[in-house]
Amino acid sequence: MHMTTGVYQAEYIWIDGTQPTSKLRAKGRAVALGKEPPIWGFDGSSTGQAPGDRSDCVLKPVFVCPDPVRGGDNKLVLCEVLLTDMTPHPTNTRATCVATAKKYASFDTWFGIEQEYTFFSGSRPLGFPEKGFPAPQGGYYCGIGADEVFGRDVVEEHFAACITAGLSIAGINAEVMPGQWEFQIGAIGTPDVADQLWVARYLLYRIAEKYGISATLYPKPVRGDWNGAGAHTNFSTRQMRNAYEPCVAAAEALGRKHDLHIANYGFGIEERLTGFHETASYKTFKYGVSDRGASVRIPWQVAKERKGYIEDRRPCANMDPYVVTRLIIDTVCGAASEPAKAAPATKGAPAVKRGRR
Ligand code: ADP
Ligand code: MN
Ligand code: MN
Ligand code: MN
C-alpha cells in the first residue's frame, strides 16, 4: 500500500467566472511539509473562465492561512486566477484592486466590512415554516433562544474558525430576518480585507455544509416586508481618522459617483435598495449622521469626536470586495488628490458643500 506522508493538505480556493455573480471554487492538493503551496491550475471551461479548446487557467496563491476545518498543518490557499502567460485573467478583480491600493498607499486606507448572509434549508430560509411566514420582524435582531435565532451552531463554529485561521474578524450578530446573520472583517487595509472576506465566506459555506445548511449572499432573499442582506463597507483614510472635514468630503465624493458605485455593488441591488428596510433608494444618494436610511452614514461617535470613518451602506451581501474597496479608494482618494477642485476656485461655487444632508 502506498502511503502519502510528510505532506499537508492545501485547499486551493479561487473566484470563478459565474455570471452575474462569481462564486467560490476549491480543490485540495497534498504539499510536502515545509514547502510553500506552489502555482497550480484548473479547467477554466468548467468555471465560466475559458473556452474548451484553451481551457487551462493558472492559480497563483495570494493569501495562505491555517485551515481550521482540517486542522493540523493543513492550509487554506486563496488564489488569484491568471492566464497561462501569467497576466491577470479577465475575471481577476484583485489585480486592479492591488494597483489602486498601491497608487494611494499614502492615504493608509482601512476597511471594516459587515457581511450579512442568510441560511437556507432547502428552498426556505432557515427558521421559516414549511408554509407561510414566521412572525414579522422585530425580535430576531441580536435575538436569543430557539424561537428567535436559527443556525447558531454554524455561526459559533464559523466565528471560532475565523479566529483560528488568523482572520481579523471583528464580531458576529443575528440579523433582522430569521435565518439571517452577520460577521465583520476589519478594520484593515485592502487587498487584505478583501482576501480575508473571501476566505471567511469560504469557511462559512464549508462549515454550514457539515450541517446540511447552505449559506447564501442573495441581497433580497425574501420579497416583501423582510430586510435584505448587505455588506456595509466602513472606510477611513488617515486624514479621516484625524479630522472631520475629510469624512464629509469623502461622503460628498461618493455622492458625485453614485451611479458608478451602484452599478458595481452587487447584482440585484435595485431589489434591496428600495428606500425601505433601513436602506436609501438606489436612485438617490444621501448621507447623514446616524441615518440608517442614508446611502452613507456618519456614525454619531464620529460626528461627536469630529474624526473617524464613514459607512457606505449601499454594497450588497453578494458584492466583490476587491471591486468595492478599489472603487471607494479611487473615488475618495482621487477626489482628495485634486487640490484645484478641493479649494473653492470660483467664488460662489465651492466644490465641497459642507453639512448637506
Ligand atoms: P454597525 O453599527 O453598522 O452594525 P458594525 O459594528 O457591525 O457596525 O461594524 C463596524 C465595522 O467598522 C467594524 O468592522 C469595525 O472594525 C469597522 N471600523 C471601525 N473603525 C473604523 C475605521 N476607522 N475605518 C474603517 N473601518 C472601521
Ligand atoms: Mn453591523
Ligand atoms: Mn447588519
Ligand atoms: Mn452597518
Side-chain angles (χ1 to χ4, degrees), residues 110-114 141 170 173 182 184-187 232 234-236 241 292 297 308-309 311 313:
W110 295 357
F111 291 91
I113 300 177
E114 306 169 49
Y141 171 74
N173 61 268
E182 169 181 317
Q184 305 98 28
I185 297 287
H232 297 167
N234 302 273
F235 164 81
S236 64
R241 292 189 293 274
R292 286 176 195 269
R297 176 175 67 105
Y309 64 99
E311 176 191 46
R313 299 176 59 80

Side-chain angles (χ1 to χ4, degrees), residues 254-296:
L254 288 171
R256 288 193 295 272
K257 295 253 173 91
H258 181 60
D259 294 346
L260 172 70
H261 285 252
I262 288 290
N264 288 282
Y265 275 11
F267 182 78
I269 195 163
E270 300 85 357
E271 276 183 64
R272 174 175 152 262
L273 297 186
T274 55
F276 303 99
H277 306 108
E278 303 179 50
T279 70
S281 165
Y282 71 93
K283 290 178 194 158
T284 51
F285 179 89
K286 59 170 183 161
Y287 73 88
V289 175
S290 294
D291 186 355
R292 286 176 195 269
S295 321
V296 168

Side-chain angles (χ1 to χ4, degrees), residues 25-350:
R25 307 273 179 153
K27 58 174 183 168
R29 164 176 189 151
V31 179
L33 280 171
K35 287 265 193 307
E36 293 296 314
I39 280 181
W40 200 12
F42 67 98
D43 167 15
S45 70
S46 300
T47 62
Q49 284 166 303
D53 58 343
R54 281 173 291 115
S55 66
D56 283 336
C57 289
V58 174
L59 289 175
K60 185 185 170 211
V62 292
F63 178 84
V64 181
C65 66
D67 180 349
V69 178
R70 290 190 173 124
D73 291 321
N74 304 311
K75 292 190 188 325
L76 299 178
V77 182
L78 181 73
C79 299
E80 65 175 343
V81 177
L82 304 179
L83 299 166
T84 49
D85 66 1
M86 298 296 154
T87 59
H89 188 276
T91 59
N92 178 340
T93 52
R94 189 181 188 275
T96 42
C97 175
V98 169
T100 300
K102 211 170 260 175
K103 178 176 173 190
Y104 293 112
S106 66
F107 285 81
D108 192 19
T109 51
W110 295 357
F111 291 91
I113 300 177
E114 306 169 49
Q115 176 71 68
E116 295 179 342
Y117 58 93
T118 312
F119 286 134
F120 269 74
S121 173
S123 61
R124 321 257 320 145
L126 197 66
F128 274 53
E130 297 254 314
K131 289 197 175 108
F133 290 91
Q137 293 184 161
Y140 305 113
Y141 171 74
C142 296
I144 309 134
D147 53 338
E148 293 189 346
V149 294
F150 308 90
R152 167 105 56 198
D153 289 349
V154 181
V155 173
E156 287 296 314
E157 196 172 326
H158 175 254
F159 192 10
C162 287
I163 293 168
T164 304
L167 307 185
S168 296
I169 187 164
I172 58 110
N173 61 268
E175 268 302 337
V176 174
M177 188 183 93
Q180 212 163 58
W181 296 81
E182 169 181 317
F183 65 84
Q184 305 98 28
I185 297 287
I188 48 174
T190 203
D192 310 47
V193 71
D195 289 341
Q196 292 196 20
L197 185 65
W198 279 112
V199 171
R201 285 173 174 177
Y202 167 84
L203 282 171
L204 182 66
Y205 303 147
R206 178 70 183 77
I207 290 165
E209 179 187 313
K210 291 202 295 182
Y211 292 82
I213 294 171
S214 56
T216 69
L217 304 185
Y218 306 130
K220 191 74 181 182
V222 184
R223 299 251 165 105
D225 219 2
W226 302 94
N227 274 34
H232 297 167
T233 301
N234 302 273
F235 164 81
S236 64
T237 59
R238 187 189 295 110
Q239 292 86 339
M240 291 162 70
R241 292 189 293 274
N242 289 328
Y244 192 58
E245 200 277 333
C247 296
V248 175
E252 294 273 354
L254 288 171
R256 288 193 295 272
K257 295 253 173 91
H258 181 60
D259 294 346
L260 172 70
H261 285 252
I262 288 290
N264 288 282
Y265 275 11
F267 182 78
I269 195 163
E270 300 85 357
E271 276 183 64
R272 174 175 152 262
L273 297 186
T274 55
F276 303 99
H277 306 108
E278 303 179 50
T279 70
S281 165
Y282 71 93
K283 290 178 194 158
T284 51
F285 179 89
K286 59 170 183 161
Y287 73 88
V289 175
S290 294
D291 186 355
R292 286 176 195 269
S295 321
V296 168
R297 176 175 67 105
I298 301 179
W300 69 268
Q301 307 96 309
V302 175
K304 188 168 173 236
E305 291 171 16
R306 313 295 296 167
K307 62 180 180 180
Y309 64 99
I310 61 174
E311 176 191 46
D312 191 340
R313 299 176 59 80
R314 298 170 295 173
C316 290
N318 61 351
M319 60 78 146
D320 177 347
Y322 296 127
V323 172
V324 169
T325 58
R326 168 179 59 81
L327 276 172
I328 291 176
I329 293 180
D330 233 350
T331 296
V332 172
C333 302
S337 305
E338 291 166 12
K341 275 193 190 159
T346 332
K347 220 172 120 191

